[in-house]
Amino acid sequence: MTDSGTPGGGITRRKLAIGVGGTVALLGIGGVAKFAGSEPLCRPPGGQDEEHLIAECLRCEKCYEACPTGVIVTAKIEAGLINVRTPTLNFKLNWCDYCDQGNDGHPLCVEVCPTAALRLPEGATRENVILGTAYLVEDWCLGWQLRGCRRCYEECPFDAIEMDAHERPRVIPEKCNGCGLCENICPSLMAGSYTVGATDRAITIKPVETLRLLALEQAGEEEQ
Amino acid sequence: MRRFKATHVRTLIILLVALVIMVGYVARLDVGNLSTLGYGIISAICPLGFLETTLAGKSFILRALVSFVLVIALVIVLGRVLCAWICPVPLIQRWLPKRKKKAREQMEDRRADLALSEDRQPGGRRRGAARLDSRHWVLGGSLLSAAVFGFPVFCLICPVGLTFATLLVLFRLFGYGETTLTLLVFPAILILELVVFRKWCSKICPLGALVSLVAGLNRFFRPKINDSKCLVTSRGIDCSLCHEACAREGIDLRRPLASKTALNDCTKCRDCADACPTKAIIFPLLASRPTAPKEMVEVRATAATGVAETTEAAEAAERTGRASTTERTGTASTTETTEATSTTETSKSEES
């Protein structure tokens, strides 16, 4: 028998089961999503405070629609449950010019975000908003195979790539803001110029966090 | 003259809204999805999403707050319209296969319905006390989980969000050739939620719960019975087709006084108006007087005991005085009326 006669609330056992079950389920999903681990992602301008972005993002996909270059995509579930549908950048599609062409250097993604999940700090400029950092895999690079490719060096808007004496490109991380132009134009996986074992373009933009972890890993290996 | 049933118009509107959102995705129109539908600064934010992100981020975003206030104002003016006219979930549920219920579950359902109608008896609950049910627990759970884990947890599994997310990944699949596990996971979660929980809207949905709470302030377009047309009051027939039509919310319009807050859940879907054989239910801009006078409950009681007698009296009154109603609706309505009577009688015999 259900105790529907409870004065005031009318809480039946069934209501309680659904209510408590739902609450526990939500807490469970929250815990799993939070602690199951997720991949660091390159975020659009204003999304550099990861904790703030995750807290405020409604997953409304407005930034995705507003982006004039189409570099913003929504994160897939492969990037971690907590990241699902949050904005990230796919430099294979295009690169982020900080809306230089589209909106006079004021990123539209920041302007349309209804919850200010994407928000720029005071004094933010194209140069100091770091979306990620270029990362060069020398084995995959045509320049490093001495095949004369200098596309990234020529195109980089921040002069963040230098050429050494043998015409091999090198990234200057301090100058790079992760706009993704180099990744976008890197021909290393195209035009029949495959390098054995290459799974990605030779130059890619990595999230700052990924590079930090990578550096730690390498330091650890060197110590051993 | 009404050719279209409200349910068809609703389906059309829901599909139109989904189409606008889809076109927005494809043409990058900056309309967003239902989490923040709108253009530019004027957008209608999901009120639950707003509360969740506010709790998660522990900060007030002015712009979101303005949008939230706008939505709340809309709910106060229009009531729970969102749930019937915009939200795609009921429509998807109609398309999904129905899970066969076990006998035990059917029994529980019946008990729950009984408990619900008991709740709505006069004296069955404190007057004015908001009708809190399992949805409100889930609402509390959504807010709690957002506050604890620092991100809007419910948004991850919200069927409304998942619907549009699925549409977007489908478009990305065909438009850009992007393959992702998401393509399987999102529809899977969606179907799981809506097939396993057939009563998602009335038992679980925290967004609906939140909107219902605010809809208590709504005074416009509340359903109202025209007593001179209603079979119960004009002819003493024990008709409850409007109550039966209200499958999702289970509101008995004939006895709204029993629970003052029952109408908070009204989504103004107009199914009751369509079900009414004499078209006695209207949704006036502003009800001029309380929706149901007290004596109606008594009339219903008499109707239950002496149907034949009262019907005869009512028919006599109609013949002499205001026969216009029956004449206008014509033969079709008369057949409907007979049908209505027979259905109620059958259901009565089943009960006994």
Side-chain angles (χ1 to χ4, degrees):
Chain A
M1 220 2 234
T2 46
D3 48 348
S4 59
T6 323
I11 299 290
T12 61
R13 207 185 302 163
R14 209 157 180 245
K15 276 185 199 173
L16 198 73
I18 296 177
V20 174
T23 306
V24 169
L26 281 168
L27 287 173
I29 293 167
V32 168
K34 187 89 181 173
F35 301 113
S38 54
E39 213 177 277
L41 294 172
C42 287
R43 300 296 191 183
Q48 279 63 47
D49 181 350
E50 184 70 20
E51 203 176 312
H52 175 79
L53 179 88
I54 287 295
E56 297 290 343
C57 179
L58 265 183
R59 291 134 166 98
C60 72
E61 290 142 2
K62 275 209 157 187
C63 49
Y64 161 81
E65 286 186 28
C67 180
T69 67
V71 65
I72 299 181
V73 294
T74 49
K76 302 169 178 177
I77 201 158
E78 288 89 335
L81 190 57
I82 200 169
N83 284 331
V84 165
R85 299 177 66 204
T86 55
T88 181
L89 304 170
N90 183 344
F91 297 115
K92 304 288 186 298
L93 297 173
N94 215 326
W95 61 289
C96 174
D97 70 346
Y98 210 72
C99 282
D100 214 23
Q101 299 285 316
N103 197 31
D104 293 328
H106 302 289
L108 277 166
C109 48
V110 178
E111 281 185 12
V112 298
C113 182
T115 54
L118 298 176
R119 64 164 181 203
L120 291 168
E122 287 282 315
T125 61
R126 189 177 170 185
E127 284 74 26
N128 66 22
V129 172
I130 307 299
L131 310 176
T133 307
Y135 180 77
L136 182 75
V137 180
E138 290 159 2
D139 291 347
W140 301 346
C141 174
L142 301 181
W144 276 75
Q145 292 164 13
L146 305 180
R147 287 159 74 170
C149 175
R150 27 192 302 142
R151 296 274 330 255
C152 53
Y153 167 73
E154 279 166 3
E155 301 277 346
C156 179
F158 298 96
D159 295 327
I161 292 169
E162 58 182 3
M163 294 303 249
D164 68 5
H166 302 282
E167 286 284 295
R168 297 178 302 193
R170 227 187 272 274
V171 176
I172 312 168
E174 299 75 36
K175 283 188 175 178
C176 176
N177 96 325
C179 73
L181 178 58
C182 53
E183 178 174 340
N184 187 243
I185 57 165
C186 177
S188 65
L189 267 189
M190 292 182 276
S193 50
Y194 292 102
T195 308
V196 175
T199 54
D200 205 344
R201 296 183 186 176
I203 193 161
T204 50
I205 306 297
K206 299 267 186 245
V208 177
E209 179 65 11
T210 306
L211 289 180
R212 195 181 65 84
L213 295 175
L214 207 65
L216 281 178
E217 218 171 80
Q218 281 169 353
E221 274 171 19
E222 272 166 31
E223 265 177 36
Q224 283 168 5
Chain B
M1 193 160 158
R2 283 176 46 207
R3 285 167 177 276
F4 298 105
K5 281 196 161 183
T7 169
H8 300 139
V9 182
R10 285 206 313 273
T11 306
L12 202 67
I13 291 181
I14 292 170
L15 289 178
L16 263 177
V17 170
L19 185 72
V20 167
I21 291 170
M22 245 341 244
V23 169
Y25 281 157
V26 176
R28 296 178 176 274
L29 293 180
D30 179 25
V31 288
N33 55 28
L34 279 188
S35 333
T36 48
L37 194 64
Y39 189 79
I41 304 174
I42 303 163
S43 60
I45 198 168
C46 165
L48 178 61
F50 169 78
L51 291 183
E52 278 186 284
T53 52
T54 303
L55 280 172
K58 289 163 192 73
S59 61
F60 263 107
I61 310 292
L62 181 68
R63 188 170 170 184
L65 185 66
V66 170
S67 189
F68 177 69
V69 170
L70 182 82
V71 169
I72 295 299
L74 270 176
V75 174
I76 292 175
V77 174
L78 295 174
R80 232 186 111 189
V81 162
L82 163 94
C83 295
W85 296 83
I86 309 283
C87 180
V89 169
L91 194 61
I92 297 170
Q93 234 170 6
R94 218 189 303 154
W95 291 336
L96 287 176
K98 287 180 179 65
R99 190 173 59 106
K100 260 199 171 171
K101 285 205 167 171
K102 292 175 198 140
R104 210 186 104 255
E105 285 178 306
Q106 279 179 343
M107 183 91 97
E108 275 179 3
D109 264 2
R110 222 172 290 149
R111 267 189 199 152
D113 286 345
L114 200 67
L116 199 67
S117 55
E118 272 170 17
D119 278 354
R120 289 173 180 174
Q121 296 286 346
R125 62 171 54 250
R126 276 181 307 185
R127 272 190 129 208
R131 192 186 140 220
L132 294 180
D133 52 46
S134 49
R135 293 174 306 155
H136 297 90
W137 283 75
V138 181
L139 172 62
S142 320
L143 299 180
L144 180 70
S145 57
V148 170
F149 296 110
F151 76 100
V153 179
F154 181 75
C155 292
L156 284 185
I157 56 158
C158 171
V160 186
L162 285 177
T163 305
F164 291 105
T166 306
L167 288 178
L168 181 60
V169 286
L170 272 176
F171 162 62
R172 297 293 295 190
L173 173 72
F174 292 113
Y176 292 76
E178 280 180 11
T179 50
T180 157
L181 262 183
T182 325
L183 213 52
L184 301 175
V185 175
F186 282 179
I189 302 175
L190 188 65
I191 291 170
L192 192 78
E193 283 174 347
L194 300 187
V195 171
V196 173
F197 302 106
R198 284 300 299 181
K199 296 195 164 176
W200 178 272
C201 299
S202 57
K203 302 280 184 215
I204 295 178
C205 182
L207 177 57
L210 182 62
V211 174
S212 293
L213 286 178
V214 182
L217 297 169
N218 163 257
R219 286 290 169 271
F220 303 108
F221 307 111
R222 289 200 147 197
K224 186 175 172 293
I225 299 179
N226 182 346
D227 289 333
S228 61
K229 282 189 186 175
C230 175
L231 288 179
V232 178
T233 44
S234 70
R235 306 179 59 172
I237 294 166
D238 189 14
C239 169
S240 59
L241 286 176
C242 53
H243 185 194
E244 281 155 33
C246 193
R248 230 170 256 282
E249 277 71 41
I251 302 168
D252 187 356
L253 266 185
R254 216 39 286 178
R255 299 182 303 172
L257 275 187
S259 154
K260 270 181 93 177
T261 53
L263 277 184
N264 295 3
D265 284 330
C266 175
T267 61
K268 309 193 195 305
C269 70
R270 299 191 63 101
D271 278 349
C272 55
D274 280 344
C276 180
T278 57
K279 305 275 173 262
I281 298 174
I282 47 167
F283 287 77
L285 178 64
L286 207 59
S288 47
R289 61 193 172 91
T291 17
K294 246 183 197 157
E295 61 264 29
M296 288 316 128
V297 184
E298 288 155 28
V299 171
R300 193 193 164 99
T302 13
T305 47
V307 187
E309 203 185 286
T310 346
T311 321
E312 270 170 26
E315 270 168 3
E318 236 170 47
R319 253 177 268 124
T320 48
R322 37 195 181 82
S324 51
T325 329
T326 10
E327 266 171 25
R328 217 185 305 129
T329 35
T331 23
S333 114
T334 326
T335 15
E336 271 174 2
T337 318
T338 350
E339 270 170 27
T341 330
S342 59
T343 358
T344 11
E345 270 166 14
T346 346
S347 65
K348 246 198 232 160
S349 60
E350 270 172 16
E351 268 169 34
S352 55

